[in-house]
Amino acid sequence: LPRQRRVHDLAPERKNAPCARCGEALRPLSTPDTSEHYQYVPAQLLVIEEVCLKYACGCAIHTAAKPAQPLPKSIADAGLLAYVLTMKFLYHVPLHRQQRMWSAQGVDISRKTAGGWVGQLALLLGPLFAVLKAHVFGSKVLGHDDIGVKVLDPALNFARTGRLWPHVGDREHPGVVFHYTPTRGGEAMKEFLAGYHGQYLQVDAYQAYDGLFTDPERKLKEVGCWAHARRYVFKALETAQRQMQLPMLLIHELYQLEEKAAEWPAAERLALRQRCAKPLLGRLKTYLAGLRERDELLPKSPAFKAVRYILRQWDALARYCDDGDLEIDNNGTERSLRGVAVGRRNWTFFGSDAGGRSAAVLLSFVASCQAAGVDVYAWFKDVLGRIAQGHPVNRLAELLPHCWKPLAV
């Protein structure tokens, strides 16, 4: 952070006079008292006047060129556009609230104007989004989930529910790609995943995924999520504590093993799972199968649903023990949805399906920046500026958040 040093001295009449008690002259010490505090400096808008000088000769007029802007003929430069995107998609400030913020500074930027900027920027970043998708889809294992968002539809008198689907790459392919669909139907989701040719897809038990794993040409393997299974068991503890205590304990031990091996190489993680996790899984499966065979649980009880979920998904849930590159759960993908879950309480809905598609593009870059530990505003400002200046299309991968380096000033 920028720092200001403020030195406070005694008044001259006191500093230069002898001490009133001992009569000695004051002498400076080399160890002053030092403290720090934060000061907030409100943000401000600057008006940049671009003056292009002209020169004439005998045959023509020569005019100096001004720097290109991300959105030609717009009143916003890369910094302001980056700020609008960051406030909306990282800090969840809707455009109508941003409009009031600008008004407080004496600037009239309507939410309709800002909304137009958002859509245009999503189109501008479209080629980079395609590069990000290709990078993430190069993963060996892809995390996948979805979340509902309200969408306005002129043909209806109520807001219907669209879906945002995050796709999270593995350790070798860091990044997050969002895809928007008007409904939760499986066809649009499968069409978007057509470009993925990795080995594993980590998902929940949504039935629309089933067709992906039965396609003999793709040879795609399903990886389950023990976090989902644990939620079922935890909920069942309230009404079936005696039957569900052991499953909860065994799942807890599985997670303890994963915590121990979190930073280990894949081969060592696999060896630990084969040696320690597989026996725990075998014990858990035997116990749950016994509960089902003895008919100890009521068919509509939470405990029955927990047992049914785990046994139906057993192959997918146990698959993480077959490969050290796999994770025990899909929590990494679920974390990418936190911003959407918080944001939809603020912006409430998408204005249209087109707005949902634009949001998916921009949310992808925000989530990828967060995953890479990159400042979202700095990334948007720099990348928008570079694209405006004609960054080479064959070098777009340099701008991906995990590869990005700001230009030296």
Side-chain angles (χ1 to χ4, degrees):
L1 294 176
R3 289 176 175 269
Q4 291 184 3
R5 182 177 175 86
R6 298 177 180 177
V7 180
H8 306 280
D9 202 354
L10 296 176
E13 59 273 15
R14 183 180 174 188
K15 181 172 66 172
N16 298 325
C19 177
R21 284 184 294 180
C22 67
E24 290 189 8
L26 302 185
R27 57 186 183 277
L29 300 178
S30 60
T31 55
D33 290 340
T34 303
S35 63
E36 293 183 349
H37 63 270
Y38 291 107
Q39 180 185 46
Y40 176 71
V41 179
Q44 61 179 349
L45 286 172
L46 297 178
V47 177
I48 306 298
E49 183 180 7
E50 304 282 4
V51 180
C52 301
L53 299 180
K54 295 182 177 182
Y55 298 87
C57 65
C59 63
I61 295 178
H62 306 269
T63 305
K66 63 181 179 181
Q69 297 297 327
L71 301 180
K73 299 182 180 180
S74 170
I75 61 172
D77 73 345
L80 178 55
L81 295 172
Y83 185 79
V84 170
L85 296 181
T86 303
M87 292 298 288
K88 179 172 175 61
F89 294 105
L90 178 62
Y91 298 117
H92 323 299
V93 180
L95 296 180
H96 70 272
R97 293 185 193 166
Q98 293 192 42
Q99 179 180 348
R100 293 204 299 269
M101 292 166 56
W102 305 130
S103 296
Q105 298 190 44
V107 179
D108 182 18
I109 300 177
S110 70
R111 58 180 171 181
K112 182 177 181 180
T113 298
W117 293 345
V118 171
Q120 293 176 69
L121 291 173
L123 291 175
L124 181 66
L125 292 170
L128 185 58
F129 175 77
V131 174
L132 176 63
K133 178 186 174 183
H135 166 74
V136 171
F137 275 31
S139 301
K140 175 182 178 180
V141 52
L142 189 69
H144 197 265
D145 207 341
D146 72 294
I147 189 171
V149 287
K150 296 296 183 182
V151 185
L152 299 185
D153 190 332
L156 303 173
N157 58 1
F158 58 89
R160 56 179 169 80
T161 302
R163 312 298 296 190
L164 279 171
W165 309 76
H167 308 72
V168 179
D170 57 23
R171 297 185 182 189
E172 302 300 321
H173 302 82
V176 182
V177 173
F178 279 90
H179 177 55
Y180 170 81
T181 59
T183 67
R184 207 188 184 200
E187 292 306 315
M189 176 266 294
K190 292 176 183 177
E191 182 180 350
F192 190 77
L193 283 170
Y196 177 60
H197 302 291
Q199 298 182 33
Y200 302 100
L201 188 67
Q202 190 157 27
V203 296
D204 58 18
Y206 180 38
Q207 293 180 349
Y209 294 120
D210 293 344
L212 296 170
F213 306 118
T214 56
D215 186 346
E217 296 183 1
R218 299 196 67 168
K219 299 180 180 179
L220 188 61
K221 296 180 181 178
E222 179 182 8
V223 183
C225 175
W226 274 104
H228 278 78
R230 183 171 57 181
R231 291 185 199 118
Y232 275 96
V233 176
F234 182 79
K235 185 177 181 180
L237 277 173
E238 298 179 3
T239 55
Q241 187 173 10
R242 180 177 62 84
Q243 293 92 341
M244 291 292 105
Q245 273 187 332
L246 181 60
M248 181 59 78
L249 176 62
L250 292 174
I251 294 174
H252 176 68
E253 292 183 12
L254 292 175
Y255 269 89
Q256 284 186 316
L257 291 173
E258 292 305 303
E259 183 178 356
K260 177 181 178 181
E263 302 300 327
W264 291 9
E268 295 182 17
R269 293 174 74 192
L270 177 60
L272 178 69
R273 290 168 177 175
Q274 292 286 325
R275 184 174 67 255
C276 301
K278 275 208 165 183
L280 293 174
L281 288 171
R283 184 181 174 190
L284 177 59
K285 184 178 182 181
T286 300
Y287 177 79
L288 295 178
L291 287 179
R292 183 176 62 180
E293 292 172 2
R294 293 192 296 272
D295 290 332
E296 292 187 24
L297 307 174
L298 296 175
K300 294 185 179 180
S301 67
F304 181 86
K305 294 177 181 178
V307 173
R308 181 179 59 186
Y309 177 87
I310 294 175
L311 292 180
R312 281 184 177 180
Q313 295 295 312
W314 186 260
D315 290 343
L317 288 170
R319 185 157 285 126
Y320 83 99
C321 284
D322 298 334
D323 194 318
D325 289 322
L326 301 178
E327 300 293 339
I328 190 173
D329 56 36
N330 205 21
N331 281 352
T333 306
E334 292 188 5
R335 281 193 293 272
S336 70
L337 290 173
R338 287 180 180 174
V340 180
V342 174
R344 64 184 178 181
R345 296 181 181 180
N346 291 273
W347 37 256
T348 312
F349 53 79
F350 292 145
S352 64
D353 289 329
R357 289 188 289 270
S358 296
V361 171
L362 298 168
L363 284 168
S364 298
F365 293 120
V366 170
S368 296
C369 284
Q370 290 179 297
V374 170
D375 182 277
V376 175
Y377 170 77
W379 184 87
F380 270 127
K381 180 181 178 182
D382 182 73
V383 169
L384 291 175
R386 290 202 210 183
I387 292 177
Q389 297 298 325
H391 187 86
V393 176
N394 60 349
R395 289 170 46 197
L396 284 178
E398 299 174 3
L399 304 181
L400 295 180
H402 67 281
C403 299
W404 173 75
K405 294 181 180 179
L407 290 176
V409 179

